[in-house]
């Protein structure tokens, strides 16, 4: 059966050092893993915040499209109509500038589908607005040329009102509802990711506390083990060696029979005393 006294001192020191190094390495690894997990959660939260901000900005651009359409409907002259048309198209481009990049950034299929639906709704809104623009252009032309065509004016106004109520309003309603849903969803995900980051940090702290306590215990045990299995036996040999140095060869040497360096020294001292 292997005894502690049979293990060489160098091996004992290596084992004790290796245990300390492994525990310290575990602390470092745990800290790095915790930091990495927290960073990932914070990055996810930041991305969700950016998504929410872009969606809100897209909503503002969509409101601008609505204002542009109101300007189209209220225009009384050709230049006013052209200006309103340009404003509508500019807001449409701004909307896509905010929304289009989000398709590639979206991580989950549901968010990506919602973004693609927003893009489709914006396209539908512009196409429908152009139908109103066509009717409004005809109205402005009649008024500019001062034509007495009351039935035609009435028909065009009814057409504009019908398009606005039957096509524009549903598109706008769905867009607002979808944007509100996306904003609430992203804000909830931000909260969850922040909670996750906090939990990851607390978990890393708990793990490092446990590993630190274990490392402390191992260091204490190593110190006690070294004192009992190495320092004390070596100190016990100083008595016989001093006796031999003083000329007293009738000494009892402890440690003979050990297979480590202490045993080798004890055997050498015992042999020296026996030869004299």
């Amino acid at each position: 059966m292997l005894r502690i006294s049979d293990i060489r001192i160098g091996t004992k020191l290596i084992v004790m050092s290796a245990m300390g190094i492994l525990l310290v390495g575990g602390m470092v690894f745990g800290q790095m893993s915790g930091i990495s997990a927290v960073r990932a959660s914070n990055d996810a939260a930041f991305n969700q915040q950016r998504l929410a901000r872009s969606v809100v900005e897209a909503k503002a651009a969509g409101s601008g499209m609505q204002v542009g359409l109101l300007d189209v409907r209220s225009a009384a002259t050709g230049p006013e109509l052209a200006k309103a048309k340009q404003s509508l198209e500019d807001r449409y481009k701004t909307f896509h500038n905010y929304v289009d990049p989000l398709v590639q950034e979206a991580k989950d299929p549901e968010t990506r589908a919602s973004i693609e639906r927003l893009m489709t709704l914006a396209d539908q809104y512009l196409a429908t607005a152009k139908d109103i623009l066509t009717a409004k252009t005809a109205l402005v032309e009649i008024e500019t040329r001062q034509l007495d065509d009351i039935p035609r004016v009435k028909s065009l106004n009814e057409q504009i009102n019908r398009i606005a109520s039957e096509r524009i309003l549903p598109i706008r309603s769905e867009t607002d509802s979808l944007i509100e849903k996306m904003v609430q969803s992203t804000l909830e995900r931000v909260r969850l990711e922040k909670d996750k980051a906090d939990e990851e940090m607390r978990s890393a702290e708990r793990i490092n506390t446990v590993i630190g306590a274990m490392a402390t215990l191992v260091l204490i045990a190593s110190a006690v083990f070294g004192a009992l299995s190495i320092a004390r036996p070596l100190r016990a040999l100083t008595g016989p060696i001093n006796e031999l140095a003083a000329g007293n060869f009738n000494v009892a040497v402890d440690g003979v029979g050990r297979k480590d360096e202490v045993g080798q020294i004890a055997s050498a001292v015992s042999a020296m005393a026996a030869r004299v």
Side-chain angles (χ1 to χ4, degrees):
M1 181 178 178
L2 182 64
R3 297 179 300 174
I4 296 297
S5 59
D6 294 336
I7 302 174
R8 298 177 64 85
I9 292 176
T11 303
K12 295 174 184 175
L13 294 174
I14 290 174
V15 170
M16 289 187 293
S17 299
M19 291 178 64
I21 291 171
L22 286 175
L23 288 170
V24 172
M27 290 181 64
V28 173
F29 176 78
Q31 186 69 25
M32 292 179 63
S33 298
I35 291 174
S36 178
V38 171
R39 183 183 295 113
S41 296
N42 285 334
D43 288 344
F46 175 78
N47 289 335
Q48 290 298 324
Q49 287 177 327
R50 184 173 60 181
L51 174 62
R53 184 168 57 252
S54 296
V55 171
V56 170
E57 290 170 342
K59 180 179 181 179
S63 298
M65 291 176 62
Q66 188 175 18
V67 172
L69 181 57
L70 291 175
D71 291 341
V72 167
R73 296 182 65 179
S74 62
T77 64
E80 290 179 358
L81 192 61
K83 183 179 179 180
K85 176 177 177 293
Q86 186 62 51
S87 175
L88 176 65
E89 292 177 345
D90 289 343
R91 292 293 184 174
Y92 168 80
K93 292 178 181 178
T94 301
F95 182 93
H96 273 281
N97 287 339
Y98 285 125
V99 174
D100 290 3
L102 299 181
V103 176
Q104 300 299 325
E105 297 177 9
K107 302 300 182 181
D108 60 285
E110 181 181 356
T111 301
R112 189 177 298 110
S114 296
I115 294 170
E116 290 173 348
R117 180 57 182 166
L118 279 180
M119 296 167 63
T120 300
L121 288 171
D123 295 342
Q124 292 176 353
Y125 191 93
L126 181 65
T128 306
K130 286 184 176 179
D131 290 341
I132 292 178
L133 179 64
T134 299
K136 186 64 179 181
T137 300
L139 274 176
V140 170
E141 183 178 359
I142 291 174
E143 293 174 0
T144 301
R145 296 172 60 184
Q146 297 181 347
L147 299 177
D148 188 12
D149 193 350
I150 296 177
R152 176 63 173 163
V153 170
K154 181 179 179 181
S155 174
L156 289 172
N157 280 321
E158 290 177 348
Q159 180 182 353
I160 291 173
N161 291 332
R162 185 170 59 253
I163 293 174
S165 61
E166 296 178 1
R167 295 167 60 188
I168 287 293
L169 286 180
I171 293 173
R172 189 63 198 176
S173 178
E174 183 180 354
T175 300
D176 290 342
S177 176
L178 185 56
I179 287 177
E180 182 64 23
K181 180 181 177 181
M182 289 182 65
V183 170
Q184 294 301 321
S185 176
T186 52
L187 291 178
E188 177 63 17
R189 289 177 182 175
V190 169
R191 185 187 66 80
L192 292 176
E193 290 296 342
K194 288 184 175 181
D195 290 344
K196 183 179 178 181
D198 292 340
E199 178 57 32
E200 292 287 354
M201 180 62 72
R202 287 191 294 268
S203 177
E205 290 174 350
R206 287 193 297 267
I207 292 173
N208 283 336
T209 299
V210 172
I211 295 177
M214 292 175 61
T216 301
L217 292 175
V218 167
L219 291 175
I220 294 173
S222 297
V224 173
F225 178 77
L228 296 178
S229 66
I230 299 175
R232 187 168 66 176
L234 288 175
R235 187 168 58 251
L237 289 174
T238 59
I241 292 173
N242 288 333
E243 290 291 332
L244 287 175
N248 180 16
F249 298 101
N250 185 21
V251 294
V253 181
D254 294 330
V256 176
R258 294 172 60 120
K259 295 181 180 180
D260 60 357
E261 289 83 346
V262 173
Q264 293 173 0
I265 297 172
S267 297
V269 173
S270 180
M272 184 183 299
R275 285 198 298 270
V276 177

